[in-house]
Amino acid sequence: MSSDSRLHPLSLTGHFEAPEEYEGCFGWMCGFSADAKFLDAALERFSGLTSQRRELSGRVYLALMLDPRHPQISPTDAPGVLHLGYSGHRRFPFNLLHAKVALLGYRKAADPSAWKLRLLVSTGNWTVQTLEESIDLAWRTDLDAGDLPPERTARTRADIAAAWGMLSWLLGRYDARILDVPALEGRVSETRHAMSGCRDWVEAVVKSRCKGRPRFIDSRSKSLLVQVPELIQEICSPVARNYLAMGSGFFETDCREDALPSVLNGISKALKRDGLMSSSAQVDVFVNPGECQGVARAADAILKNKGWSLRKPSTPSCFGNSGRFLHAKFLFGANRRGGSNSCGSAWIYLGSGNLTRPGFAQPMSADGGNLEAGVVFAPDGLLWKREPSDGAALSIEDALPILPGEELSLKETPLGAGENLSPRDGFFAAPPVPWLRWTGSEGSGLLQGPEESAEYDVLTSTGEPCPREGANRHRWPSGVSPRQVHVRWASNGEIMQAMVPVLDEYGRVSPKELQRLDLRRAWWDLCEFPSAPQDDGPQHDPPEDEPPGNPVGDPPPPGDQPPVNDAHASRPAPEAGYPVREMMRLVEALADKQVRLNKSDWPIWCARLEQILTQAADSVELQYFKGLGLDPLSPLLHPAFRPQFAETGATGEGQLYEAALARLGKAWGVTNLEKIGRLP
């Protein structure tokens, strides 16, 4: 697009960006293919965290389901994304899993009751190639927590419910057990907490009244060819249009020289049959000239058909001079009237389905049709051509890779069939064990899976099986936990391998090893809550521009408190001071922060408090208190230091907090020391 365009298109990764004041919570994705570089970039936008910080948090943000023949993306390739393995046999219910859909959940840090759901439908794969080499399209819709009752969001709620129907159907065929695994000893897993919260939002949308037919469609029961005309009649308007554009990155291969390609002809016939396209309509077919499969063979028949033409796709100028390959799959219908610049009664289909029989003309089946997904919608105020006087109105060239121009001349631009799509022959099967839990000791450690797991071997870095110590217990030859391990098993006479994530006692998935922290750094990391701690690298002195004299931050004066959950409000500036003073200010600052936390954040706060302060078990201040025979944690049990909903052990939140402090006291070695003050 030109630099003066009013349209600023987002890249596919840009659609993962959290709305202002929100942060990514959890999401589900499906697609044909993906790569780690794309996923890492998308997840950084979604979570707001670098790869290093996600490695430290060990939290899963996105659950990914790809075509079962796609090679595994290991848990450490893109920290925060978990590629789920297919849990059935090689006989799949679809020819290809080709649908490209993401359902993303965001929450407002200052108010967890304020959430957003985003449905994203893409024509492109979750790959760098999509960003750098192809012309693709994406459609999205957002829904706020406060939008459940209003009728104006009925269509969006129906879309999200329909997409969740497909994604939950897929989840039943992929191994997602790890997402629901708790941490040890009653701790709360951040992954499980985030996933269940986001699932609750989706289920609230599903349960809300969703009048009207969704714009979102998939091919599980009916082909896209059947559903698109139905949606045009219901969602757009049941009138005949005199223009149709059809574009695809791949076409059917077995076309005849003397006939229109069957799928393209089938689309035209279906629209005419239902009164959605006039008999004399102009039909433009947009192709990659050098790779258009059977269209190259049928080109003469297409051009001899009255009103039909072949055209090259336009490449938006925002891509510069780089050659781009049309990968988008789209249909566009409208009325074109002399003297009018408006696209009358316009409708658009975009989705994953190529204009082939498996992609568009057949329902999903094991022997024929792919699982595809797309949307049909009516764009408002769309223009045929952008004029300077049109303000912010969109033209068709802004929305689709379509530009008015001459049709292809077969003499000047010979068409080529290109290469056929070769199906993969791999299989990423879900291993018998979805995760292994680490228990370390000097010189070696133990990796243990869930008790119900079938027979499998855990392989060392040299490919040898680890010694077994009973069912699902494997002795690792090092005292340092691996982040992931290879697992080998037999299935139907075939030897299978996959990479399995390792969990620690906090429920972190394939995490970086926790480093020891001093007391000041521990407080800085707790200040980040509810965001993840900073990267666990070398500890640095505080910035020179921070005010001195406050090692852990005095509580703000009454009436001047920072917003709830504002991770960066009143950030403390450490100083070298007396150990007693520093420890007591830490306790006071912790109390000030936690009494203002939201109830929904409390389970994760308890887990984070235990984890980060355990990392400070070797701090100078703690050693000083232990020398005095005093337990510096004991004031945190006082009701005044706790939020109202967790003031005592009479509530679940209070029990969770007291259990976390008990484990922390054991890690600090202060359980049997004298308490400071008396509890009522």
Side-chain angles (χ1 to χ4, degrees):
M1 303 226 162
S2 60
S3 59
D4 62 348
S5 171
R6 268 80 66 187
L7 183 70
H8 301 282
L10 291 174
S11 69
L12 189 52
T13 55
H15 287 288
F16 287 78
E17 189 87 41
E20 188 175 354
E21 298 184 356
Y22 285 76
E23 60 186 13
C25 182
F26 193 84
W28 299 266
M29 299 170 61
C30 70
F32 177 65
S33 64
D35 61 41
K37 188 174 180 181
F38 176 97
L39 294 170
D40 192 70
L43 192 50
E44 183 161 339
R45 289 175 176 266
F46 180 70
S47 67
L49 302 177
T50 63
S51 176
Q52 290 81 6
R53 291 184 71 180
R54 299 195 307 272
E55 286 179 315
L56 177 62
S57 74
R59 171 175 153 187
V60 176
Y61 285 87
L62 296 173
L64 176 65
M65 296 169 284
L66 298 176
D67 185 83
R69 287 148 289 216
H70 193 287
Q72 181 184 12
I73 299 172
S74 84
T76 59
D77 285 343
V81 177
L82 193 64
H83 181 189
L84 306 181
Y86 192 77
S87 57
H89 299 298
R90 284 183 182 268
R91 178 74 174 174
F92 314 126
F94 38 70
N95 178 47
L96 297 174
L97 168 50
H98 203 246
K100 303 158 179 63
V101 179
L103 184 56
L104 310 173
Y106 303 85
R107 50 159 273 176
K108 187 176 288 188
D111 180 10
S113 65
W115 50 260
K116 288 179 183 286
L117 289 173
R118 174 174 298 163
L119 174 60
L120 179 62
V121 178
S122 173
T123 69
N125 296 305
W126 313 115
T127 62
V128 171
Q129 183 183 38
T130 296
L131 301 178
E132 297 180 351
E133 299 179 17
S134 67
I135 301 172
D136 271 297
L137 300 169
W139 175 93
R140 87 181 204 200
T141 185
D142 289 13
L143 182 74
D144 291 353
D147 286 341
L148 287 186
E151 288 301 312
R152 62 184 175 82
T153 63
R155 191 77 72 186
T156 295
R157 286 182 282 134
D159 292 331
I160 290 174
W164 179 243
M166 187 196 75
L167 289 169
S168 58
W169 178 86
L170 276 173
L171 282 166
R173 287 153 179 81
Y174 285 75
D175 188 0
R177 287 177 290 170
I178 190 173
L179 302 176
D180 212 27
V181 173
L184 290 178
E185 299 182 26
R187 298 179 178 94
V188 174
S189 161
E190 293 202 28
T191 293
R192 186 184 190 188
H193 186 75
M195 185 271 295
S196 61
C198 193
R199 187 173 54 196
D200 288 345
W201 306 338
V202 175
E203 290 175 353
V205 174
V206 173
K207 291 177 182 178
S208 68
R209 294 178 62 199
C210 299
K211 293 182 179 179
R213 186 166 178 170
R215 294 164 292 189
F216 178 91
I217 52 177
D218 68 68
S219 63
R220 281 177 295 160
S221 59
K222 294 195 295 185
S223 72
L224 301 182
L225 178 56
V226 169
Q227 295 181 76
V228 168
E230 294 175 350
L231 278 177
I232 296 170
Q233 287 185 320
E234 185 168 336
I235 293 177
C236 306
S237 58
V239 300
R241 282 84 170 173
N242 60 13
Y243 179 77
L244 173 66
M246 296 187 280
S248 183
F250 197 85
F251 293 89
E252 55 194 292
T253 58
D254 54 348
C255 296
R256 293 166 46 187
E257 291 184 354
D258 59 347
L260 293 172
S262 63
V263 176
L264 300 183
N265 193 33
I267 294 170
S268 173
K269 284 184 174 181
L271 295 174
K272 289 178 180 178
R273 178 200 64 210
D274 293 341
L276 302 173
M277 177 176 159
S278 66
S279 59
S280 60
Q282 177 186 345
V283 180
D284 289 342
V285 181
F286 290 83
V287 303
N288 294 301
E291 297 184 51
C292 55
Q293 296 74 47
V295 169
R297 179 179 174 86
D300 285 335
I302 292 173
L303 296 179
K304 288 177 182 178
N305 204 63
K306 186 177 180 181
W308 284 58
S309 67
L310 293 171
R311 297 183 184 274
K312 289 177 60 177
S314 61
T315 301
S317 60
C318 62
F319 292 137
N321 296 323
S322 62
R324 290 269 172 164
F325 182 88
L326 177 64
H327 189 258
K329 303 90 175 164
F330 64 90
L331 302 175
F332 168 65
N335 269 317
R336 192 164 199 168
R337 306 297 184 196
S340 174
N341 194 26
S342 297
C343 297
S345 303
W347 61 265
I348 293 175
Y349 155 81
L350 65 85
S352 61
N354 285 301
L355 301 185
T356 64
R357 281 189 290 275
F360 200 83
Q362 293 177 303
M364 178 190 76
S365 68
D367 301 317
N370 302 334
L371 174 55
E372 307 282 5
V375 290
V376 176
F377 59 98
D380 293 328
L382 197 62
L383 305 178
W384 289 105
K385 186 177 181 181
R386 189 191 318 120
E387 301 289 354
S389 60
D390 292 327
L394 294 183
S395 70
I396 190 62
E397 63 187 278
D398 297 325
L400 296 170
I402 294 176
L403 272 178
E406 296 181 0
E407 60 186 271
L408 285 174
S409 167
L410 299 186
K411 291 182 179 181
E412 296 178 5
T413 310
L415 300 186
E419 296 182 0
N420 293 335
L421 179 64
S422 300
R424 304 184 183 100
D425 57 5
F427 181 33
F428 172 35
V433 56
W435 48 265
L436 291 159
R437 186 92 66 179
W438 169 261
T439 304
S441 60
E442 290 188 12
S444 68
L446 198 64
L447 292 167
Q448 183 169 356
E451 295 300 326
E452 71 275 10
S453 301
E455 188 73 12
Y456 63 95
D457 287 322
V458 174
L459 305 182
T460 67
S461 57
T462 61
E464 298 297 320
C466 292
R468 296 173 184 253
E469 296 187 4
N472 294 302
R473 293 165 63 90
H474 306 261
R475 179 60 61 182
W476 187 252
S478 166
V480 178
S481 171
R483 296 177 60 193
Q484 58 188 13
V485 293
H486 272 106
V487 165
R488 182 174 64 196
W489 73 101
S491 175
N492 296 322
E494 184 178 2
I495 301 300
M496 313 285 286
Q497 283 196 36
M499 196 73 78
V500 169
V502 175
L503 309 183
D504 69 2
E505 67 270 32
Y506 301 106
R508 297 187 307 148
V509 179
S510 298
K512 286 178 64 177
E513 183 181 4
L514 293 174
Q515 303 298 318
R516 292 298 184 184
L517 304 177
D518 62 32
L519 205 64
R520 294 174 293 173
R521 172 62 186 272
W523 169 244
W524 291 347
D525 284 352
L526 286 168
C527 270
E528 296 287 328
F529 187 84
S531 296
Q534 294 287 346
D535 179 27
D536 207 12
Q539 298 181 43
H540 301 287
D541 292 331
E544 294 181 359
D545 58 352
E546 290 202 62
N550 188 358
V552 291
D554 289 321
D560 189 27
Q561 294 184 348
V564 175
N565 280 351
D566 186 347
H568 303 287
S570 300
R571 172 154 303 186
E575 68 170 6
Y578 295 105
V580 172
R581 183 177 178 226
E582 292 201 13
M583 180 65 79
M584 287 298 94
R585 285 198 169 181
L586 169 67
V587 170
E588 186 179 5
L590 287 173
D592 177 69
K593 183 174 182 68
Q594 68 186 22
V595 297
R596 295 180 286 112
L597 291 176
N598 293 291
K599 189 174 182 178
S600 60
D601 281 331
W602 187 250
I604 300 303
W605 168 257
C606 293
R608 193 81 60 82
L609 180 72
E610 177 191 351
Q611 175 192 313
I612 291 176
L613 290 187
T614 296
Q615 294 176 256
D618 294 334
S619 66
V620 173
E621 296 83 0
L622 176 57
Q623 302 312 313
Y624 186 85
F625 265 79
K626 291 170 72 173
L628 297 176
L630 296 175
D631 175 7
L633 295 174
S634 53
L636 290 174
L637 289 168
H638 196 284
F641 284 52
R642 301 157 66 166
Q644 187 175 6
F645 55 78
E647 280 185 346
T648 71
T651 66
E653 291 79 11
Q655 294 166 13
L656 196 67
Y657 177 66
E658 291 176 5
L661 286 184
R663 290 189 296 268
L664 177 58
K666 185 177 179 180
W668 275 18
V670 299
T671 301
N672 297 320
L673 300 185
E674 184 177 347
K675 310 306 177 188
I676 300 175
R678 292 184 178 181
L679 296 176

